[in-house]
Amino acid sequence: MPATDLNLLLGVTALQIDFISRDALIDAMQAWVRDKERSLVDILRAAGHLSERQAELLVNLAQEHIRRNGGTATAGLAALSSLGNVRPLIASVADSDVLETLDEAHRQSV
């Protein structure tokens, strides 16, 4: 599940800072569910939703966010103020790993 945690954190952060649209996030999440060997950032870059520079910035931002918020991607995900707003959107992907990660992040945020 750590890959799921990190990919969700990266996706939600990219949406939150307006690097990608809601539709791009859902499309990338659906592609990632079909091929979990690839990172969400790689999928977003390949689809033209992120530039190389944006991908680099996003990864660095997520790493710092994780460091400042408990040291795990799940804790970082739980600390995002926008998680509640995008939870229904991400839950529509209907993948057990994604849903489990959302539940764990929610438990940590309350």
Side-chain angles (χ1 to χ4, degrees):
M1 183 168 26
T4 303
D5 301 355
L6 182 57
N7 280 297
L8 281 176
L9 175 62
L10 289 163
V12 173
T13 301
L15 178 65
Q16 187 173 14
I17 61 175
D18 293 325
F19 275 9
I20 62 172
S21 68
R22 293 168 67 96
D23 290 342
L25 175 59
I26 290 302
D27 290 348
M29 289 295 302
Q30 289 172 339
W32 178 79
V33 165
R34 290 187 301 274
D35 182 7
K36 292 185 180 180
E37 295 298 314
R38 296 177 65 198
S39 75
L40 190 68
V41 170
D42 287 344
I43 291 168
L44 287 163
R45 281 186 24 238
H49 296 297
L50 285 179
S51 69
E52 194 71 38
R53 176 74 175 136
Q54 287 171 321
E56 180 183 332
L57 288 168
L58 180 61
V59 168
N60 288 332
L61 180 62
Q63 288 171 343
E64 180 62 17
H65 183 74
I66 289 168
R67 188 188 69 73
R68 293 182 57 122
N69 290 285
T72 67
T74 303
L77 190 59
L80 289 177
S81 61
S82 64
L83 184 60
N85 295 335
V86 296
R87 182 183 168 93
L89 178 71
I90 295 170
S92 71
V93 173
D95 176 76
S96 61
D97 291 337
V98 170
L99 297 174
E100 185 178 331
T101 297
L102 287 172
D103 288 343
E104 179 60 29
H106 176 72
R107 282 191 294 277
Q108 288 188 25
S109 70
V110 288

